[in-house]
Amino acid sequence: MTVEGKLEEFVNALEVRLGSAFDVEDDPVSFLDMMNGIEKHLATDWPPLADVIKREGLQPEGRAALERIVALLTSLETRTRGRLVWLNDFEDYMRIALETRP
């Protein structure tokens, strides 16, 4: 299989997994399961693909596909980080409210 074929397979599988993670971001258990699957996919499938890319190079279409994946990962991280910040702020608010209440 060519580098383009391997890359397409990798990107398609990752796009499906990331889409599923966005779908369950409100369900912590399902979201964690999805993220574990994404992490496993990246850990097992990326290193051999990266080696092939280093040897054979990468076409502009492949680079664009990887940039789409990075954008999806960044978007997912931003959304989850935003939720964490909100929860931390709410926790701080509740702690202050409980401390100042007689």
Side-chain angles (χ1 to χ4, degrees):
M1 182 181 284
T2 66
V3 67
E4 289 82 12
K6 289 179 182 182
L7 181 61
E8 182 178 353
E9 187 178 284
F10 173 80
V11 167
N12 288 341
L14 197 49
E15 283 178 332
V16 168
R17 289 176 184 269
L18 287 167
S20 295
F22 280 108
D23 290 342
V24 297
E25 67 182 285
D26 291 329
D27 178 355
V29 174
S30 296
F31 183 74
L32 181 59
D33 187 46
M34 275 296 147
M35 293 309 298
N36 286 335
I38 290 169
E39 183 178 6
K40 182 178 179 185
H41 179 71
L42 288 171
T44 58
D45 293 358
W46 175 249
L49 178 58
D51 288 341
V52 172
I53 290 170
K54 285 178 188 175
R55 279 194 317 272
E56 298 180 21
L58 187 62
Q59 297 296 318
E61 300 82 20
R63 180 174 298 282
L66 288 175
E67 288 173 354
R68 279 195 320 272
I69 291 298
V70 169
L72 285 171
L73 285 166
T74 301
S75 177
L76 187 60
E77 178 189 18
T78 300
R79 290 171 75 153
T80 55
R81 187 176 305 275
R83 288 176 183 260
L84 290 173
V85 168
W86 182 88
L87 286 172
N88 287 337
D89 288 349
F90 184 73
E91 180 183 7
D92 291 344
Y93 168 78
M94 290 302 293
R95 185 173 296 118
I96 290 168
L98 291 172
E99 290 172 358
T100 59
R101 183 157 186 172

